[in-house]
Structures are given as structure tokens and as C-alpha cells.
Amino acid sequence: MEKMHFTRMDQGTDEDFQILKQVHEHTLKELPDRLFGLLGDLGKDTAYNITRRDHCLQSATRALRDGKDEEYVVVALLHDACETLGPFNHGEVIAAILRPFISRDNYWMLAQHGLFQTYFYAAHLGLDPNARDKFRSDPAYEQTIEFCAKYDEVSFDPAYKNEPLSTFEPMVRRVLSKDWTPP
């Protein structure tokens, strides 16, 4: 790939910015594989009855089998993909990455699912299980409750047969197939 020649963006030429566009298009093309790599990293976590990779596959499988739309299934698959990068805010991290590709409500659900998930275990840690209620007026509040209850908190079951990653790969590639345009 050619290089841009400027040392300051305000000195760039049309040709430089065509190269910049190509760099971003290449990055977008590689994004699904990078996210699959993050899911692969979750396969190393054996603290649960299943790996966190399998937890993500199980969440997506449940959503798929419930007839959720493709975007929702992809969100379910990737919801914990960034947990190794940001254990305190992994939902916000993956939500920020996926924001250009998904709806407002799916973005919000991803960003908030960590807090909503505490409903199921907060009391064991001396926390408020109803902390999520401060978001009761948000349009995605009920959707996030449903996601956590039906697809996230129940998906640690070693007896549940989930679909392989290959089932979801085409979906991820379709959801993430967006032309790059400047922000």
C-alpha cells in the first residue's frame, strides 16, 4: 500500500486522503476477523462451567433459535467479546466498536448489559440488584432486561448444545459490511 506524504493533515493532498480511505476500508474488512479473535481469546477462560467463548455462542444460539433478527443475534454473539480488554466496561467497549453498524437500542443494550446483569447476582456482593431501574425511562430498558434474562444469564449451561461459530460468521460479516465514510 502506498504511503501518505503529509506530516500535518491540513497539508494532505487528494491522493493522500484516497490512501487514508483505503486504509480505513482495509480495517473495516478485517474487523470481523479481529472480533472473532477476541472471541477466541475468551475460549481460554475456564473459570465458568463453560468458556466465555462458549457463553457467547450459547447466547447467540438462544437468540437465533428464538427468531431474533440477524443484528440482534450478532450483538448477542459479541456482547462479551471485549471483556478481556475492559473487564469493568466491556459492554461499552464492544458497543462503541459496533455503534456504526447497529441500531440505537442494540447499542444501548450492549453498553448497559453489564449493569443489568448484576440484577442476578448483586445481592451476593452487597450491591443493589435494582440499580438498573435508574434507566427505566429508556426505550431499550425492557429489551435489555429481556436480553439479560433470556440470553445472557442463562447461557452458562454445559448441557446446552450451541451452534458453532461458523453459523454466525456470515451474519457478522453482513452486519459489519458498511462502506467507510468520514465521521
Side-chain angles (χ1 to χ4, degrees), residues 72-84:
Y72 191 104
V73 171
V74 167
V75 165
L77 176 69
L78 298 174
H79 78 279
D80 283 345
C82 291
E83 199 159 348
T84 58

Side-chain angles (χ1 to χ4, degrees), residues 32-33 35-36 39 53-79 151 155 160-177:
D33 294 317
L35 293 173
F36 296 144
L39 282 175
R53 177 186 180 275
D54 287 335
H55 163 70
C56 289
L57 287 169
Q58 202 170 110
S59 297
T61 298
R62 290 176 190 276
L64 178 67
R65 290 178 183 163
D66 264 2
K68 292 295 186 182
D69 66 53
E70 187 168 83
E71 181 183 299
Y72 191 104
V73 171
V74 167
V75 165
L77 176 69
L78 298 174
H79 78 279
Y151 309 116
S155 293
Y160 186 85
K161 183 159 175 43
N162 53 268
E163 295 290 329
L165 182 60
S166 60
T167 298
F168 304 106
E169 284 184 38
M171 295 178 198
V172 171
R173 292 185 192 287
R174 282 190 295 270
V175 168
L176 299 182
S177 66

